[in-house]
Amino acid sequence: MPESNAAAWPWVRARLSGLRPTPRPGTRRAGAPVVRTAVVTDSAAALPAEYLRGLPRDGLLTVTPMPVMVGPEIYGEGEDDILETIAVALAAGTPVKTSRPSPGQFEQAYRAAELRGFDGIVSVHISGELSGTADAARLAAAKVGIPVDVVDTRTVGMAQGLAVQAAVQAAAAGAGREAVAAAAVEQAEHTKVFFYVPSLEQLRRGGRIGAAASLLGTMLAIKPILAVDGGRIVPLEKVRSAARAVARLEEIVVAHAAPQPDGSVTLAVHHFGNPEEAESLAARLEAALPECPPAQISSLPAVLAAHAGLGVLAVIVGRSPALPGGTRLPT
């Protein structure tokens, strides 16, 4: 299975290539849209590298890295071997923590968009129930000269990433700030996250388990299946073996995706340290959902891997991206 699938994005790339902002605020190239909106997000969105490489380097999308602290050292998303560093640290019992980006990081991204001539910004972020990232973005938004709409997606991973892609697509079509923000919100509301972790220990240490705390008393005896709901991580089921947990995760995803209209569902599979298991799960989902395009497969971003721990399998079930007017793109 490929790490990512770029077949859905030629239209986006072509559209974006004609929307390069002018270098000075207040000036517009002939034929450019009256309103131009930039999109900013954080690295919890887990956007595939191939998707990012396919976008023009015109500042329309900026991804702000979220810091990860391994012992006394601080790393940024995208640094070489950061996932390997986290894996070794977790195995050795070394503390691994994460933090939100600083307001100054977002202010820098917003000012860069302003200097490029964008008229507004939509900043799309990880659930506020799991991180203070959206709060940092709001603090920065008050310090720049163009309007910024901050969207708390109330989700994470490629569920957040799909909301970012929807916002980029709307912006590429020339939509104004409010319409771009609405596209992100709508996509996030129609996307589900289901996942399995071999242990709740890392989620417990990071304070990210929310309602899943009720499972801790039997943590050693069960393999939890979890979901993101209302911005929080919540327990779905308690399963007695790892094999059964993965099989049940597959059943839950298929039951959720199968009733959707053909061609309207997109899937993504995340893993940390278990790529073969993720590829096997994706292959089984492809067989069970023949009308659904193959799932994108990618490692969890470092900021999520630090909390989920080794061996996680997550499946994101979302809507395939839509062109203006509602036409669905192939994925």
Side-chain angles (χ1 to χ4, degrees):
M1 300 289 293
E3 275 291 304
S4 62
N5 187 335
W9 305 321
W11 179 88
V12 177
R13 290 198 295 270
R15 185 73 175 129
L16 285 169
S17 67
L19 296 177
R20 297 180 184 273
T22 53
R24 292 174 297 166
T27 62
R28 288 190 175 88
R29 178 173 49 80
V34 173
V35 176
R36 290 191 300 271
T37 303
V39 179
V40 174
T41 189
D42 55 74
S43 56
L47 291 165
E50 188 172 348
Y51 173 81
L52 295 173
R53 285 195 298 268
L55 296 177
R57 298 183 181 278
D58 58 6
L60 192 146
L61 175 63
T62 301
V63 180
T64 302
M66 299 181 71
V68 178
M69 290 153 282
V70 180
E73 301 294 328
I74 300 178
Y75 298 85
E77 189 76 50
E79 292 187 23
D80 291 343
D81 301 325
I82 184 173
L83 287 175
E84 182 179 344
T85 300
I86 292 172
V88 171
L90 293 177
T94 302
V96 179
K97 300 179 180 179
T98 63
S99 179
R100 71 181 191 181
S102 69
Q105 287 176 273
F106 287 122
E107 183 179 348
Q108 183 178 15
Y110 299 161
R111 291 193 184 281
E114 184 178 8
L115 287 173
R116 285 178 175 270
F118 287 102
D119 300 310
I121 300 166
V122 174
S123 211
V124 184
H125 297 296
I126 179 177
S127 171
E129 300 286 350
L130 302 176
S131 170
T133 299
D135 289 336
R138 293 186 185 99
L139 289 172
K143 297 182 178 182
V144 296
I146 57 175
V148 180
D149 286 356
V150 177
V151 175
D152 177 352
T153 63
R154 301 185 67 77
T155 191
V156 71
M158 265 299 287
Q160 174 190 342
L162 289 172
V164 173
Q165 290 179 1
V168 168
Q169 189 167 285
R177 192 182 78 256
E178 291 182 357
V180 171
V185 170
E186 183 181 12
Q187 181 67 51
E189 289 177 345
H190 288 85
T191 307
K192 299 293 184 182
V193 181
F194 306 103
F195 65 108
Y196 152 72
V197 290
S199 169
L200 286 168
E201 182 62 16
Q202 275 305 114
L203 288 170
R204 182 190 68 78
R205 288 180 179 179
R208 298 307 199 277
I209 55 174
S214 62
L215 297 177
L216 286 174
T218 55
M219 182 175 60
L220 297 178
I222 58 95
K223 301 297 181 183
I225 299 175
L226 308 169
V228 176
D229 185 40
R232 295 178 178 270
I233 296 173
V234 299
L236 286 183
E237 295 185 9
K238 305 174 185 181
V239 183
R240 291 292 178 180
S241 72
R244 179 56 187 150
V246 175
R248 184 63 186 133
L249 175 64
E250 178 185 339
E251 292 170 357
I252 291 169
V253 170
V254 170
H256 186 79
Q260 307 303 318
D262 291 349
S264 68
V265 175
T266 186
L267 300 176
V269 176
H270 291 316
H271 62 86
F272 179 30
N274 50 335
E276 296 84 2
E277 196 173 15
E279 290 171 2
S280 178
L281 173 60
R284 293 195 303 275
L285 290 173
E286 183 176 358
L289 299 165
E291 301 301 325
C292 182
Q296 300 177 56
I297 305 173
S298 62
S299 297
L300 277 178
V303 67
L304 303 183
H307 290 294
L310 287 164
V312 63
L313 283 174
V315 182
I316 287 79
V317 184
R319 301 193 309 178
S320 58
L323 294 169
T327 303
R328 295 284 166 192
L329 283 170
T331 52

